[in-house]
Amino acid sequence: MSETVKYLLPEERLPRAWYNLVADLPAPPPPSLHPATGACLTADDLAPLFPASLIEQDASTERDIEIPEPVRDIYRLWRPSPLYRARRLERALDTPARIYYKYEGVSPSGSHKPNTAVPQAFFNQQEGTKRMTTETGAGQWGSSLAFAANLFGLEVDVYMVKVSYQQKPYRRAAMEAYGARCIASPSNLTESGRKILAEHPDSTGSLGIAISEAVEMAAQRGDTKYGLGSVLNHVMLHQTVIGIEAMEQMEMAGDEPDILIGCSGGGSNFAGCAFPYIGRKLRDGNDIRIIATEPAACPTLSRGVYAYDFGDTAHLTPLLKMRTLGSTFMPPGFHAGGLRYHGMSPLVSHAMDLGLIEAQSFQQTECFAAGVEFARAEGIIPAPETNHAIRAVINEAIACREEGTQRTILFVLSGHGHFDMQAYTDYFAGKLTDLPHDEAALARSTDALPEIQGVKPLISA
Amino acid sequence: MSETVKYLLPEERLPRAWYNLVADLPAPPPPSLHPATGACLTADDLAPLFPASLIEQDASTERDIEIPEPVRDIYRLWRPSPLYRARRLERALDTPARIYYKYEGVSPSGSHKPNTAVPQAFFNQQEGTKRMTTETGAGQWGSSLAFAANLFGLEVDVYMVKVSYQQKPYRRAAMEAYGARCIASPSNLTESGRKILAEHPDSTGSLGIAISEAVEMAAQRGDTKYGLGSVLNHVMLHQTVIGIEAMEQMEMAGDEPDILIGCSGGGSNFAGCAFPYIGRKLRDGNDIRIIATEPAACPTLSRGVYAYDFGDTAHLTPLLKMRTLGSTFMPPGFHAGGLRYHGMSPLVSHAMDLGLIEAQSFQQTECFAAGVEFARAEGIIPAPETNHAIRAVINEAIACREEGTQRTILFVLSGHGHFDMQAYTDYFAGKLTDLPHDEAALARSTDALPEIQGVKPLISA
């Protein structure tokens, strides 16, 4: 019994550089394209939305990108995050597998999101930004950016999908505690918001509308920029502190993962842990299996097509080459709000295309069952998103037991569920139903992809 | 900027023994008394409610009480908890003071409560208990006992005050996630509950009623015992892991507290950090100031009398010599539910009587203001209870600035506020008002203390 559970690194071992997967890939990722002209996206195209240093990171081919000291100093508030050996879960499953998890719920906002919120706020402040805008659905990203931007003296406007604004007052309160302004979207503050409200005064909003409002507000003011919590290369980059630390901690444990698992919505917590391991796999040729998990109701990697698509429903964003269900795909209202995105990080999609990772999708009730099993063994109540990773972990561990094979499994526990307990309440009340994706809707939304519409660049891409 | 923020101990440094303050006190604490006979309470009197080992701990005069290995093995899931240097708060306050906090929010349930829930569950299981009952108000203790008891295969029935049961579904969901049964109190399951419901079918319950139900259920079944989250000596004992670790971590930091601060409801997080320091003060004669903080609306230590009183409103418990506002005192409905208790740990009260600690009380809005200031500097959003400690810390740090004096302040950050964000929402909405205690009600409730009623033992005590 009395064996180490937590592998802790001292602050001195905080990574000094983020890891850029692009440097090790056998083929560069396809470029992003301007939505109007179809030309390759330039730094100038993005300048109204992002500071130059982040745009540069998006395009960088350097392997190691230095983490500025002021960012490391804030990371110290919770990083290096602990790596746990799930000894109690192993015993509960009676498996020969060794299960480890990298726990990102120790951050102030309870998830991995501040890993990128902090550098985004830092680089914005360095380049003179006074205010940041962003959108948030469930509120995980909004509260993380609110936390980070406050530390650099930036104002933050968070456009929160109105139905979440009303139903999730806890997250809103967290944003306000950090000094951010939280605005129910659609709002009267923007053109896009006013247009929606004129047509649908009772609109409860959507992530697509909230993105439009946040982007519009950032684009029209010189001192205001936009922050995005997933999908883009620089976000994946910042999250690699997870995997870099995990590698060193696995070494402390004297072990090495055979399987790495993370849940994937826009891709950031998965990429954060996986990319350093993919890089090593590419350099060393080891045969680690890397699995991204997602909801059956929004199976972007498992069932999406690899094509150029818009990042938002309003078609304001650049065209990104990615696994997508089509920007008009509306996933049903399941409980893992962080996994309800029609697209996927272009870099994660590219890694999938190169055969470096695999994907698995799960129904929500089997995911909550896994989360409850985990909580009863290990104590931590995981976020609904994370339960998708845990489902896969438990399945693999059971397979080890049945085959009598020892394997080492590492997964990212992206956040705790303390803000998401309504989902557990609904689960225990039997109110959750399994929601497979709608085949007909998927056919319609992928049919409506821009390449079908003959957008010029897509032909040449 | 780049100086250590977190002082971390490896699991090997987990304390091997709890510290029993009674061993170092110049005078033993007054005995507890049987509510009917007035005689000194015996182990037999308590046997229907608690396992023998906990009853023994309550009466022990040994300084060090060994922590069983299975308990240490569960402590490993989050302990040793980190000690933080609040460098950002110090800078925000522009104070020469050095501020440290021991962060207990890293436990699975988000507070210090599992420190005692785990050993209580262990000793119960060792002595054959199959089921534990307890009461909970806001749900912090209920979810902690649910977590702990599940790990030892015990069933748990939590009687949750009905109004909280309805208003705080998140905590209830956490208890259910750990496999506990959560019952709205008053319930039809007990005599006490049925009696209340017959008279007041719409009763929204009270902690007093919930205690009666939990105690009744435990007393009448041989395989069922009762768990209490604060007040009793064995609870204070288990919490001393906080202070024992903090001492070692302060040594790592090369510093020594001049002032120690903790919020105090029943007294357990305060005692957990303070008792090891009080013990050292008694042995070494150093002049550390130790301050317990509490709400102005329920000023047990600041304004209570030191007398024998019942622990509950229904007068089922033993008579405890403690600081009390009178068991009929009904504090107003302020937001720090964990500090709404009419009494105080007898050991904490005794330490106060011996002049070893002092008390300060604060209004709730000034406490939330302090909590928000802390969150914006340090990231962690504290529980409303903890804000009472933070108010005192900030006041002391400001005094240091004004006097130009350097002092080192250590406080316990007893838990995060992620389950309590409604309180912050109300604070930001301007809905919180300051609630001084009601002088007339206090006079009535202290007049009604049992010694006034001539209960025999109180004369001889």
Side-chain angles (χ1 to χ4, degrees):
Chain A
M1 292 276 282
S2 53
E3 293 163 303
T4 304
V5 165
K6 299 184 299 300
Y7 298 91
L8 303 177
L9 293 172
E11 286 172 24
E12 300 78 70
R13 301 300 307 152
L14 245 171
R16 296 186 180 279
W18 293 298
Y19 167 72
N20 181 9
L21 177 63
V22 175
D24 286 315
L25 286 176
S32 300
L33 307 174
H34 193 287
T37 66
C40 284
L41 213 61
T42 67
D44 284 352
D45 294 334
L46 292 169
L49 295 185
F50 303 108
S53 26
L54 293 179
I55 297 171
E56 202 177 302
Q57 287 172 11
D58 270 335
S60 172
T61 56
E62 292 294 311
R63 179 178 290 146
D64 299 306
I65 296 181
E66 193 189 337
I67 307 176
E69 276 308 309
V71 171
R72 293 182 76 239
D73 270 331
I74 294 177
Y75 278 171
R76 284 167 189 269
L77 291 175
W78 73 98
R79 303 208 73 85
S81 67
L83 179 83
Y84 277 81
R85 169 92 182 265
R87 294 186 188 272
R88 285 172 193 278
L89 180 65
E90 292 170 15
R91 282 198 295 275
L93 296 171
D94 189 25
T95 176
R98 290 194 290 265
I99 304 173
Y100 295 84
Y101 56 98
K102 179 74 170 161
Y103 184 40
E104 292 294 309
V106 292
S107 82
S109 64
S111 81
H112 66 292
K113 291 286 184 190
N115 295 335
T116 185
V118 173
Q120 287 191 41
F122 168 76
F123 290 115
N124 270 287
Q125 186 236 31
Q126 288 294 101
E127 297 186 33
T129 304
K130 301 293 179 212
R131 191 165 60 140
M132 293 184 71
T133 65
T134 197
E135 73 289 335
T136 202
Q140 186 61 271
W141 165 244
S143 55
S144 299
L145 188 65
F147 151 71
N150 162 69
L151 293 176
F152 290 106
L154 304 178
E155 287 178 39
V156 179
D157 285 352
V158 181
Y159 291 85
M160 187 170 189
V161 178
K162 192 174 277 174
V163 61
S164 298
Y165 182 91
Q166 289 161 344
Q167 289 178 353
K168 298 187 183 246
Y170 276 34
R171 283 277 184 208
R172 176 154 49 98
M175 291 181 239
E176 290 174 354
Y178 293 128
R181 187 164 68 140
C182 187
I183 301 143
S185 167
S187 78
N188 274 314
L189 302 180
T190 66
E191 189 71 28
S192 346
R194 285 188 295 269
K195 198 170 155 226
I196 297 283
L197 287 173
E199 290 167 25
H200 309 283
D202 298 329
S203 167
T204 55
S206 74
L207 209 51
I209 298 167
I211 293 176
S212 305
E213 293 204 276
V215 165
E216 178 190 323
M217 204 47 118
Q220 80 188 189
R221 291 181 55 143
D223 63 351
T224 301
K225 301 278 182 200
Y226 170 70
L228 191 66
S230 195
V231 179
L232 297 182
N233 292 10
H234 68 260
V235 180
M236 305 298 125
L237 177 76
H238 301 155
Q239 293 292 355
T240 58
V241 287
I242 301 174
I244 297 168
E245 289 175 6
M247 265 187 194
E248 185 165 344
Q249 289 164 310
M250 287 301 299
E251 220 167 276
M252 283 171 76
D255 215 336
E256 197 58 63
D258 301 301
I259 305 175
L260 187 157
I261 294 171
C263 65
S264 190
S268 79
N269 93 81
F270 168 74
C273 194
F275 281 7
Y277 278 97
I278 294 178
R280 198 169 68 178
K281 179 177 178 166
L282 286 165
R283 295 192 300 274
D284 303 359
N286 74 53
D287 60 353
I288 183 174
R289 280 180 65 201
I290 299 179
I291 306 170
T293 63
E294 56 187 8
C298 191
T300 317
L301 284 167
S302 323
R303 297 294 311 274
V305 296
Y306 186 45
Y308 275 100
D309 196 8
F310 295 99
D312 67 331
T313 47
H315 296 185
L316 295 176
T317 71
L319 287 161
L320 307 171
K321 182 88 181 269
M322 59 182 176
R323 286 271 173 166
T324 176
L325 300 168
S327 66
T328 56
F329 182 80
M330 282 297 286
F334 53 86
H335 260 307
L339 307 181
R340 293 183 74 243
Y341 187 60
H342 72 275
M344 178 58 62
S345 148
L347 263 182
V348 170
S349 303
H350 186 51
M352 180 99 177
D353 194 51
L354 293 169
L356 297 167
I357 63 170
E358 56 189 283
Q360 294 180 1
S361 68
F362 299 101
Q363 296 291 350
Q364 66 177 347
T365 54
E366 63 184 337
C367 293
F368 275 96
V372 169
E373 190 165 6
F374 182 85
R376 291 187 183 174
E378 295 287 316
I380 297 164
I381 301 175
E385 290 80 4
T386 313
N387 289 343
H388 291 75
I390 295 172
R391 179 71 269 161
V393 169
I394 293 179
N395 289 359
E396 293 294 339
I398 291 172
C400 287
R401 180 183 68 208
E402 289 172 352
E403 297 164 16
T405 317
Q406 196 289 313
R407 289 193 197 94
T408 296
I409 305 168
L410 166 64
F411 77 98
V412 202
L413 207 168
S414 57
H416 67 60
H418 294 178
F419 286 110
D420 309 288
M421 296 307 297
Q422 186 59 48
Y424 283 90
T425 301
D426 291 348
Y427 172 66
F428 290 121
K431 287 187 194 159
L432 291 196
T433 50
D434 285 341
L435 298 160
H437 64 277
D438 178 337
E439 286 288 354
L442 180 56
R444 278 195 305 278
S445 64
T446 48
D447 270 359
L449 277 175
E451 59 185 327
I452 311 295
Q453 296 162 350
V455 172
K456 192 177 56 178
L458 300 168
I459 298 158
S460 62
Chain B
M1 293 276 280
S2 54
E3 294 163 303
T4 304
V5 164
K6 298 184 299 301
Y7 298 90
L8 303 177
L9 294 172
E11 286 173 22
E12 301 77 70
R13 300 300 306 153
L14 245 172
R16 296 187 180 276
W18 293 298
Y19 167 72
N20 182 10
L21 177 63
V22 175
D24 285 315
L25 286 177
S32 299
L33 307 174
H34 194 286
T37 66
C40 285
L41 212 62
T42 66
D44 284 351
D45 294 333
L46 292 169
L49 295 185
F50 302 108
S53 26
L54 293 179
I55 297 171
E56 201 178 301
Q57 288 173 10
D58 270 334
S60 172
T61 56
E62 291 294 311
R63 178 177 292 146
D64 298 307
I65 295 181
E66 192 188 338
I67 306 176
E69 275 308 308
V71 171
R72 293 181 77 239
D73 270 330
I74 295 176
Y75 278 171
R76 284 168 189 268
L77 291 175
W78 73 98
R79 304 208 72 87
S81 67
L83 178 84
Y84 277 81
R85 169 90 182 265
R87 294 186 187 272
R88 286 171 192 278
L89 181 64
E90 292 170 17
R91 282 199 295 276
L93 296 171
D94 189 25
T95 177
R98 291 195 289 266
I99 303 173
Y100 295 85
Y101 56 98
K102 179 74 170 161
Y103 184 39
E104 292 294 310
V106 292
S107 81
S109 64
S111 81
H112 65 293
K113 293 286 185 190
N115 295 334
T116 185
V118 173
Q120 287 191 40
F122 168 76
F123 289 115
N124 269 286
Q125 185 234 32
Q126 288 294 102
E127 298 186 31
T129 304
K130 301 292 178 214
R131 191 164 62 137
M132 292 184 72
T133 65
T134 198
E135 73 289 336
T136 203
Q140 187 61 270
W141 165 244
S143 55
S144 299
L145 188 65
F147 152 69
N150 162 69
L151 292 176
F152 290 106
L154 303 179
E155 287 179 40
V156 179
D157 284 354
V158 181
Y159 291 85
M160 187 171 190
V161 177
K162 193 174 277 174
V163 62
S164 298
Y165 182 92
Q166 288 160 345
Q167 289 179 353
K168 297 187 184 246
Y170 276 34
R171 283 277 184 210
R172 176 155 49 99
M175 290 181 239
E176 290 173 354
Y178 293 128
R181 187 164 68 140
C182 188
I183 301 143
S185 167
S187 77
N188 274 314
L189 302 181
T190 66
E191 187 71 28
S192 346
R194 284 188 295 269
K195 199 170 155 226
I196 298 282
L197 287 172
E199 290 168 23
H200 309 284
D202 298 330
S203 167
T204 55
S206 75
L207 209 50
I209 297 168
I211 294 176
S212 304
E213 292 204 276
V215 165
E216 177 190 324
M217 203 48 118
Q220 80 188 190
R221 289 182 55 143
D223 63 352
T224 301
K225 301 279 182 197
Y226 170 70
L228 190 66
S230 194
V231 179
L232 297 183
N233 292 10
H234 68 260
V235 179
M236 306 298 124
L237 177 76
H238 301 155
Q239 292 291 355
T240 58
V241 287
I242 301 174
I244 296 167
E245 289 176 7
M247 266 186 194
E248 184 164 346
Q249 289 164 310
M250 287 300 300
E251 220 168 275
M252 285 170 75
D255 215 337
E256 196 59 61
D258 300 301
I259 305 174
L260 188 158
I261 295 171
C263 65
S264 189
S268 78
N269 93 82
F270 168 74
C273 193
F275 281 7
Y277 279 97
I278 295 177
R280 198 168 68 176
K281 179 178 177 164
L282 286 165
R283 294 191 300 274
D284 304 358
N286 73 54
D287 59 353
I288 183 173
R289 278 179 67 201
I290 298 179
I291 306 171
T293 64
E294 56 187 7
C298 191
T300 317
L301 283 167
S302 323
R303 297 293 312 275
V305 296
Y306 186 44
Y308 275 100
D309 195 7
F310 294 100
D312 67 333
T313 46
H315 296 184
L316 295 177
T317 71
L319 287 161
L320 308 171
K321 181 88 183 270
M322 60 183 175
R323 285 271 172 166
T324 177
L325 300 167
S327 66
T328 57
F329 183 80
M330 281 297 284
F334 54 85
H335 259 309
L339 307 181
R340 293 183 74 244
Y341 187 60
H342 71 276
M344 178 57 61
S345 146
L347 263 182
V348 170
S349 303
H350 185 52
M352 180 98 176
D353 194 51
L354 294 170
L356 297 168
I357 64 171
E358 56 190 283
Q360 294 179 2
S361 67
F362 299 101
Q363 296 291 350
Q364 68 176 345
T365 55
E366 63 183 337
C367 292
F368 275 96
V372 169
E373 190 165 6
F374 182 86
R376 290 187 184 173
E378 295 287 316
I380 297 164
I381 301 176
E385 289 80 3
T386 314
N387 289 345
H388 291 75
I390 296 172
R391 179 70 270 163
V393 168
I394 293 179
N395 289 359
E396 294 293 338
I398 291 172
C400 287
R401 180 182 70 207
E402 290 172 353
E403 297 164 17
T405 316
Q406 195 289 314
R407 289 194 197 94
T408 297
I409 304 169
L410 166 64
F411 78 97
V412 202
L413 208 168
S414 57
H416 66 60
H418 294 177
F419 286 110
D420 308 287
M421 295 307 296
Q422 187 58 49
Y424 283 89
T425 301
D426 291 349
Y427 172 67
F428 290 120
K431 287 188 194 157
L432 291 196
T433 50
D434 285 340
L435 299 160
H437 64 276
D438 179 336
E439 287 287 352
L442 180 55
R444 277 196 305 278
S445 64
T446 47
D447 271 0
L449 277 174
E451 59 184 327
I452 311 295
Q453 295 162 349
V455 171
K456 192 176 56 177
L458 300 169
I459 298 159
S460 61

